Amino acid sequence: MASSGKFVLSQGVGYGVVVGIGFLFAGIMWGLSWVQNRYTKYDTKTSEEFNTASRSVKPGLIASGIVSSWTWAATLLQSSTVAYEYGVAGPFWYAAGATVQILLFAILACKVKMNAPYCHTYLEIIRARYGKLAHIVFVFFALVTNVLVSSQLLLGGSAVVTALTGMNVYASIILIPLGVCVYVIMGGLRATFLCDYSHTCILMIVILYFLFNVYTENPLIGSPSRMYELLSQAATKMPVTGNQEGSFLTLKSNSALIFGVIQLCSGSGTVFLDQAYWQRAIASRPTTAVRAYILGGLAWFAIPFGFATTLGLTAVALTDNPKFPSYPNPMSPAEVSAGLSAAYAATTILGTGGAVALLIVLFMAVTSCASAELIAVSSILTFDIFKTYIKPSATPKQLIFVAHVCICIWGVVMAVFAIIWNVIGIDLGWLFLVMGLLIGGAVFPGHVIWLRQTKIGAISGAIVGLIAGLTAWLVEAKVYYGELTISSTGGNYPTLAGNLAAIMTGLIVTVSISLIFPDKSVIDNWTTTRDINAENRNIADEKHNSSLPTVAAEDQELGEMAGIEEEPRKLKGALKLAIGASFAISFVMDFLVPMPMFFSHYIFSSGFFTGWIVITFIWVFASSSISILLPIIEVRGFFAELAREIVADMRGKRSSKGPDVGYSGEQTRVPSIQGVEGVEVNVPSSKAEGLTSGKGIMAREDEQRAVGDYGQ
């Protein structure tokens, strides 16, 4: 390691992982995109498919994508850092503080499907409701969010790559986005979902690898009871300020609680203002969006909780071990803030193997999140800037070209900002804590959940919240530390003050102004937002591979969903589930479990700590099932049809007509609502009869006529 003058891995390994794996995934994406274009109804050369995945992704893959895209480099590194600094409370508050936003986003995902089912970005909703000025203001906050998130990915990832291999940090920052840009351009949003899935599989395998090694077989630790002994000994040598009796084995940790509040504020801004999360809601199916976000939130909790409870605590337990890179000293503040506790722990317990495993999983996290950021920013630049202000008459072909160009531009931008932060001495820890106060004022998503929010309320809340956050942050840093430096402004209390001031002031101002100065012209419905891109109802290419068996069943499912998109009241049950589940789970995670142990000043016993580790194992296994097995189960029928079609294609017998896919169907023309041209789908004769006799969505035999609600 750097601290000892030598590195666990060679620079060649660093370059091999950064460049080789990146382009390996680019090659895989090329192959998957070719298969998709040849054997499915979704063509990556169409704008809607490229930017929204044709709004057809199933909940398992959405949940896996949420897990992957919310697992930043900071998730793995910063969670281990707070475990090293605060003990068991650190991983818990990192996970609990950032899971709430995903759970609450289930509500927003449902509201998007109800109130703006055809939008490309959440900024389109803001423009439709509030006009040009508000749109420009929120585009600014959205891009600031993306700059901070994107550069954090590269900043944290490059720091660990350099610490493990000695690879030049600037070369790492520049090369990491390269392969990601290539595979995102090849496959669009659906490609990011598929890569997210593969990344999540690798991530789960590595986390389980570390868990089993540390707590069952490693000679340095090997069991929860031995970890308990080592953590108890560490508390006597380097007690934690603010923890009960300086222990690493308690949730009575003042600093960890403060960090949890900062995480809650910062994460709210990140999720609610980052188009990457809205894009997953837009890409999901209307009937399953809520389920996807609830499952995704529960699955993601296990990532920082399991990873940091393993490597973060291992770094504490083995600080006095001669194998530890910083021995005989504890890690320096610079090493801790750079997020190196996980790297030091992995190399101590597993040597080169641990370093390689960490390097790969970290690279997976960085590239997965980077791909989500690239396609998200590309959508903003394409639809909210180019199509809105530069060329409103742009054709789909031109939009695809602009999206490709914007992906490349953002790859450069994120690298430039990461280099700037590195040059001026800003590290991952500082950026992570400060981010929320810069964007927190614009967090409140009134544009999609509250009809009474006004244009002035939305704009003033965002701007006043930013001013309040900056003021509270700098004043607290000056008063508490007596100076304004990078070190003082990155402290817990200044960043806590700034985060709370930004998010609370923004919320209070936007609600107050909207109520005091209401917009009387607002109609009590969401007609304006539901009309966004309504001309793109039939988002898939109706003729693309329309004769294949892999397409027929998909057409049937999409036909059944069309009525739901046109009747938002049918999603009220899903909305109630989202509200009830998100608030109930958040209450349990953030209050019912930690607060009694905090206020009782409880220090874990050996038996309780063993139970805590058992729960960690169970949660990681459950998360693996959601993220890895569920997506496969959902599409098992499709894979069977795909395999048969590929075999037939290889034998030169590719279907030229719609083959029998398990039902004796007839081709029925099912148009979209309001007279938009329909699609031809193969459906069972019984359902075809229903469609033409008044029991389906809409049907046309000799003439088109509306019928009742499908499936009711």
Side-chain angles (χ1 to χ4, degrees), residues 67 204 298-300 302-303 618-628:
V67 170
M204 290 299 180
L298 291 173
W300 181 84
I303 304 298
I618 293 172
W619 208 313
V620 173
F621 273 111
S623 176
S624 301
S625 299
I626 293 171
S627 305
I628 299 174

Side-chain angles (χ1 to χ4, degrees), residues 212-295:
F212 275 102
N213 182 273
V214 168
Y215 289 109
T216 65
E217 64 179 35
N218 192 277
L220 299 180
I221 301 176
S223 68
S225 59
R226 179 57 180 161
M227 174 69 85
Y228 182 87
E229 294 174 7
L230 292 171
L231 293 176
S232 299
Q233 295 170 11
T236 63
K237 299 175 181 178
M238 46 181 193
V240 184
T241 303
N243 280 26
Q244 182 67 20
E245 298 180 10
S247 175
F248 288 94
L249 295 159
T250 179
L251 290 188
K252 172 55 177 75
S253 173
N254 298 338
S255 297
L257 180 60
I258 291 172
F259 175 82
V261 176
I262 295 173
Q263 172 79 318
L264 184 63
C265 297
S266 178
S268 297
T270 304
V271 172
F272 298 153
L273 291 174
D274 191 343
Q275 170 62 18
Y277 299 96
W278 292 90
Q279 205 134 14
R280 277 152 175 75
I282 292 167
S284 64
R285 300 184 174 197
T287 54
T288 57
V290 169
R291 192 193 323 162
Y293 275 85
I294 293 174
L295 289 175

Side-chain angles (χ1 to χ4, degrees), residues 649-666:
D649 197 7
M650 293 173 65
R651 294 176 177 175
K653 299 178 180 180
R654 191 181 185 207
S655 301
S656 58
K657 315 176 130 181
D660 181 5
V661 290
Y663 40 73
S664 55
E666 60 192 70

Side-chain angles (χ1 to χ4, degrees), residues 631-643:
I632 296 176
I633 293 172
E634 288 177 340
V635 294
R636 61 192 183 280
F638 166 80
F639 279 126
E641 293 290 356
L642 177 63

Side-chain angles (χ1 to χ4, degrees), residues 430 433-434 437-438 467-479 484-486 488-491 493-499 501:
W430 189 95
L433 294 173
V434 168
L437 64 91
L438 298 176
I467 295 172
L470 290 172
T471 302
W473 172 46
L474 296 176
V475 169
E476 178 66 15
K478 179 66 175 177
V479 170
L484 292 178
T485 63
I486 291 178
S488 67
T489 54
Y493 289 104
T495 52
L496 174 65
N499 275 274

